[in-house]
C-alpha cells in the first residue's frame, strides 16, 4: 500500500546472570522465543531486504553505499503518482487509440521510463524487480472518479493494446533478467486501485497472463493474485481466483499477497497464512508455488522492533518480502520506504541523506548475520520473534517485538553444537537499536551495551527481555568455540 496524497522507549536487558533471576513462568509460558543452534536452516539470503518504490528516478541520487550496506535485493514500482506528463495509460488513451507512438503518447511512456529507471537501479545491485501494471495504467490512487478500468462495458480493446505496449517496452529495454509482473495490485482494496467487480478482474487476469506468456514465455515471471487480503477460505477474491486458474491454467509463478493489517490479527501473519493457502491449493488441485509478500508492515511497524519481527517471520518461512511504503507523491519515490531521510524532503532531487534507526537493523541483518541460519520459534503469543545465524566467529540473534511492551524470554538451545560446554557461564554482548527521532531521525550504528555473563546448564541458556517501548530492539552475540 502507498498513500494517496489526498489521504489523510526501549528494551532493557539488566546486567544479571540468568540464574540470579526467578522468572514468573505463568507470565512467560507464552512469551518465549527460542533458538536451536543444532538446526542448520541454510545460507542467509536476507529475504526481507526489499521495498516498494523508494528509489528516485535519477539513478545516482542515492549513493551506492545506502543500497549495498542494507543488502537491497528486491524492488517494485512503475511510476505511481507521478504528475503530468507521466500519469499513465488512461491519461493518453485517446492518442493510443489513434495509433500514435512516441512523444504523442508521453503520459504513458514517461511513466514507463520511471519503471525502467527503477528496474535498472535494482539490477545494478543484482536485485529482482516487480512491475506494477495498475500503476502503468494510471490506477494509483490519484485517478479521478469515473476513470476507465480494463474491461469496462465489456470493452477489452484498450487493455489488450495496453498489454501489447507494456510487452514492447519490456522488449525494447531488455528487461529480461529477474523481472516479474504484478498483473494488478490490490483489486480487493475498495476502489483505490480497482473499480470493477471480481468477474471483470478475473477476465483481466487471464487475458493479461495469456498475452504475456504468448509473447515472452517464462522469461518474465507473472505474480498474483496480489491481494490486500491474505488467503482465507471465506475470502471470495481468493476462492474465485483459485477456481479460475485451476480451470484455465493461468497459474502464477508465485502466489503473492500483502501483510499490512492489524498487529493483533492472526491472519496478518505467515504462520496462519501458509497452512491455509496449502489447504486451499490442494482442494483446487493446484500445486504449491513460491510465495512473495511484496508489501509487509504498517507504518507504525517500520521501526527497529517491528522490522526485526518481520525479518524473523520471513526468514523462518523462506519467503521474500518487500517493505510497504506509506509515503505519497514525490516522497513515494525516495527514502527507501522510510529507511532514509534528508534535510529538505520537499525537494525531490535533493541529496544529503542519512539513515534512521530502522535502517540500522537491515544493515546489521545484511552485514553481520552471515554464516548459516539456525531454526528459531516465535513466542506462542506471536508478539516476539527471533532470527539467528552462526558465523565462523559468533552466534548472532536479532530480536523483534510486534508493537508491544512487557516481558518476554529468549532461550538458546544446543550450545554444544557450536563447541560450547553444556554448562557454565556464557558472555553475551548486547546491541541496542534505537528509533531516536522516529522515521526522520539521524541514527548511526547500534549501541554496544557491553557484556553480561549468564550462568547456564543443560546445554541451554535463557534470559529475559523487558520491552519498555514499542520501537527499540536488540541483537545478542556470543563467541563460538
Amino acid at each position: 500500500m502507498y498513500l494517496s496524497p489526498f489521504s489523510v522507549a526501549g528494551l532493557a536487558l539488566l546486567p544479571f546472570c540468568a540464574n540470579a533471576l526467578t522468572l514468573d513462568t505463568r507470565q512467560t509460558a507464552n512469551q518465549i522465543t527460542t533458538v536451536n543452534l543444532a538446526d542448520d536452516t541454510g545460507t542467509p539470503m536476507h529475504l526481507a531486504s526489499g521495498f516498494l518504490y523508494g528509489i528516485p528516478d535519477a539513478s545516482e541520487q542515492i549513493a551506492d553505499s545506502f543500497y549495498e550496506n542494507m543488502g537491497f535485493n528486491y524492488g517494485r514500482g512503475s511510476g505511481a503518482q507521478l504528475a503530468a506528463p507521466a500519469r499513465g495509460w488512461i491519461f493518453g488513451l485517446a492518442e493510443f487509440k489513434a495509433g500514435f507512438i512516441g512523444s504523442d503518447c508521453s503520459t504513458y511512456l514517461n511513466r514507463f521510463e520511471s519503471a525502467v529507471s527503477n528496474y535498472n537501479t535494482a539490477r545494478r545491485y543484482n536485485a529482482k524487480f516487480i512491475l506494477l501494471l495498475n500503476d502503468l495504467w494510471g490506477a494509483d490512487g490519484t485517478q479521478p472518479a469515473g476513470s476507465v478500468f480494463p474491461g469496462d462495458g465489456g470493452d477489452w480493446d484498450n487493455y489488450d493494446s495496453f498489454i501489447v505496449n507494456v510487452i514492447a517496452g519490456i522488449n525494447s529495454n531488455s528487461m529480461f533478467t529477474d523481472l516479474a509482473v504484478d498483473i494488478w495490485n490490490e483489486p480487493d482494496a475498495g476502489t483505490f486501485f480497482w473499480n470493477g467487480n471480481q468477474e471483470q478482474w478475473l477476465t483481466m487476469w487471464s487475458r493479461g497472463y495469456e498475452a504475456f506468456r504468448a509473447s515472452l514465455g517464462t522469461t518474465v515471471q507473472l505474480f498474483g493474485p496480489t491481494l490486500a487480503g491474505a488467503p482465507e477460505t471465506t475470502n471470495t477474491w481468493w476462492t474465485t481466483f483459485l477456481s479460475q486458474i485451476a480451470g484455465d491454467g493461468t497459474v502464477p509463478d508465485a502466489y503473492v499477497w500483502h501483510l499490512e493489517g492489524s498487529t493483533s490479527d492472526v491472519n496478518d501473519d505467515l504462520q496462519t497464512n501458509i497452512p491455509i493457502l496449502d489447504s486451499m491449493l490442494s482442494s483446487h488441485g493446484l500445486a504449491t508455488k513460491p510465495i512473495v509478500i511484496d508489501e509487509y508492515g504498517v507504518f507504525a511497524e517500520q521501526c527497529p522492533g517491528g522490522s526485526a519481527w518481520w525479518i524473523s517471520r520471513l526468514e523462518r518461512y523462506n519467503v521474500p518480502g518487500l517493505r510497504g511504503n506509506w509515503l505519497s507523491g514525490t516522497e513515494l519515490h525516495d527514502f527507501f520506504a522510510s529507511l532514509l531521510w534528508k534535510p529538505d524532503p520537499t525537494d525531490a532531487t535533493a541529496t544529503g541523506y542519512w539513515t534512521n534507526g530502522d535502517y540500522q537493523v537491515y544493515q546489521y541483518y545484511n552485514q553481520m548475520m552471515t554464516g548459516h541460519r539456525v531454526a528459531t520459534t516465535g513466542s506462542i503469543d506471536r508478539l516476539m520473534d527471533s532470527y539467528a545465524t552462526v558465523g565462523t566467529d559468533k552466534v548472532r540473534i536479532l530480536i523483534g517485538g510486534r508493537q508491544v511492551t512487557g516481558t518476554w524470554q529468549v532461550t538458546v538451545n544446543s550450545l554444544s553444537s557450536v563447541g560450547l560446554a553444556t554448562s557454565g557461564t556464557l558472555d553475551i554482548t548486547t546491541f541496542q537499536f534505537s528509533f531516536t527521532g522516529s522515521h526522520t531521525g539521524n541514527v548511526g550504528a547500534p549501541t554496544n551495551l557491553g557484556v553480561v555473563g549468564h550462568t547456564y546448564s543443560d546445554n541451554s541458556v535463557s534470559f529475559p527481555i523487558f520491552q519498555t517501548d514499542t520501537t527499540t530492539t536488540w541483537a545478542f552475540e556470543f563467541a563460538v568455540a
Side-chain angles (χ1 to χ4, degrees):
M1 176 65 74
Y2 34 90
L3 295 183
S4 165
F6 311 120
S7 307
V8 189
L11 295 163
L13 180 65
L14 298 182
F16 47 67
C17 293
N19 67 349
L21 179 72
T22 301
L23 291 175
D24 182 349
T25 56
R26 293 169 300 175
Q27 178 187 24
T28 62
N30 293 330
Q31 296 174 295
I32 301 172
T33 177
T34 71
V35 177
N36 182 357
L37 297 178
D39 191 349
D40 182 338
T41 61
T43 302
M45 293 181 289
H46 307 111
L47 295 168
S49 296
F51 46 79
L52 169 65
Y53 281 102
I55 302 172
D57 288 346
S59 61
E60 306 294 333
Q61 184 170 316
I62 297 179
D64 290 343
S65 60
F66 289 104
Y67 294 92
E68 294 165 349
N69 290 345
M70 70 158 287
F72 168 67
N73 59 24
Y74 225 135
R76 180 174 182 249
S78 289
Q81 299 185 5
L82 292 178
R87 296 201 65 189
W89 174 269
I90 56 175
F91 295 93
L93 187 56
E95 287 81 5
F96 275 106
K97 283 187 172 181
F100 291 111
I101 298 296
S103 61
D104 296 301
C105 308
S106 61
T107 192
Y108 164 76
L109 294 176
N110 288 343
R111 184 161 284 207
F112 193 87
E113 282 305 307
S114 174
V116 173
S117 173
N118 287 181
Y119 169 80
N120 287 334
T121 297
R123 293 305 307 142
R124 191 162 74 241
Y125 306 103
N126 202 33
K128 299 178 180 180
F129 193 79
I130 303 168
L131 205 64
L132 282 150
L133 295 195
N134 64 291
D135 288 341
L136 293 174
W137 180 267
D140 59 6
T142 68
Q143 70 275 8
S147 292
V148 176
F149 282 82
D152 278 356
D155 176 12
W156 290 100
D157 289 346
N158 62 41
Y159 176 68
D160 293 342
S161 181
F162 166 70
I163 295 297
V164 166
N165 279 272
V166 172
I167 292 169
I170 291 171
N171 279 316
S172 64
N173 289 282
S174 300
M175 300 168 72
F176 304 126
T177 304
D178 284 332
L179 180 69
V181 172
D182 268 336
I183 288 182
W184 207 264
N185 180 67
E186 296 188 354
D188 57 333
T191 59
F192 202 77
F193 301 115
W194 180 252
N195 202 30
N197 56 35
Q198 286 186 20
E199 182 180 359
Q200 188 175 336
W201 165 63
L202 292 169
T203 301
M204 177 195 66
W205 165 269
S206 294
R207 292 180 80 96
Y209 182 104
E210 290 166 354
F212 275 102
R213 281 289 188 255
S215 295
L216 297 173
T218 57
T219 302
V220 172
Q221 291 196 315
L222 302 176
F223 282 3
T226 320
L227 296 172
E232 294 184 75
T233 57
T234 56
N235 185 330
T236 59
W237 290 90
W238 272 98
T239 56
T240 58
F241 177 77
L242 295 179
S243 294
Q244 170 110 346
I245 66 173
D248 67 9
T250 57
V251 179
D253 296 300
Y255 289 107
V256 177
W257 65 94
H258 298 160
L259 291 173
E260 296 171 309
S262 169
T263 57
S264 62
D265 182 0
V266 296
N267 291 313
D268 193 53
D269 187 349
L270 287 169
Q271 182 175 322
T272 300
N273 305 155
I274 292 176
I276 291 175
L277 177 62
D278 287 348
S279 176
M280 292 174 70
L281 292 174
S282 177
S283 68
H284 285 84
L286 293 164
T288 59
K289 291 276 188 174
I291 293 169
V292 176
I293 302 300
D294 63 12
E295 295 184 28
Y296 71 82
V298 298
F299 190 57
E301 289 184 285
Q302 292 185 338
C303 62
S307 292
W309 187 92
W310 280 108
I311 287 168
S312 302
R313 274 313 202 247
L314 292 163
E315 290 286 345
R316 177 171 304 118
Y317 294 103
N318 292 307
V319 171
L322 290 76
R323 285 167 59 91
N325 195 326
W326 299 95
L327 303 178
S328 62
T330 59
E331 291 183 357
L332 178 67
H333 296 262
D334 207 346
F335 306 117
F336 284 15
S338 299
L339 289 172
L340 308 177
W341 206 246
K342 61 187 179 183
D344 185 2
T346 64
D347 185 343
T349 62
T351 57
Y353 292 93
W354 61 75
T355 64
N356 62 24
D358 201 11
Y359 180 96
Q360 297 302 325
V361 171
Y362 288 90
Q363 179 165 308
Y364 181 88
Y365 168 52
N366 174 53
Q367 295 184 338
M368 305 304 294
M369 303 195 79
T370 58
H372 67 266
R373 302 179 299 173
V374 290
T376 65
T377 64
S379 60
I380 294 173
D381 64 12
R382 304 191 184 208
L383 299 177
M384 189 65 63
D385 212 339
S386 58
Y387 170 64
T389 58
V390 176
T392 56
D393 57 344
K394 293 179 181 180
V395 171
R396 293 179 172 87
I397 304 168
L398 181 64
I399 300 295
R402 198 164 199 200
Q403 294 291 287
V404 289
T405 59
T407 304
W408 280 263
Q409 178 180 318
V410 182
T411 295
V412 185
N413 296 315
S414 302
L415 293 170
S416 62
S417 66
V418 294
L420 299 174
T422 58
S423 63
T425 300
L426 183 62
D427 290 338
I428 301 178
T429 304
T430 303
F431 294 89
Q432 176 179 309
F433 296 86
S434 301
F435 203 41
T436 307
S438 189
H439 297 88
T440 63
N442 187 342
V443 180
T447 303
N448 185 334
L449 298 183
V451 178
V452 174
H454 292 268
T455 302
Y456 70 96
S457 61
D458 298 324
N459 210 19
S460 176
V461 65
S462 295
F463 47 89
I465 296 174
F466 300 106
Q467 184 87 40
T468 59
D469 71 40
T470 61
T471 61
T472 308
T473 205
W474 303 88
F476 305 103
E477 298 184 359
F478 56 87
V480 300

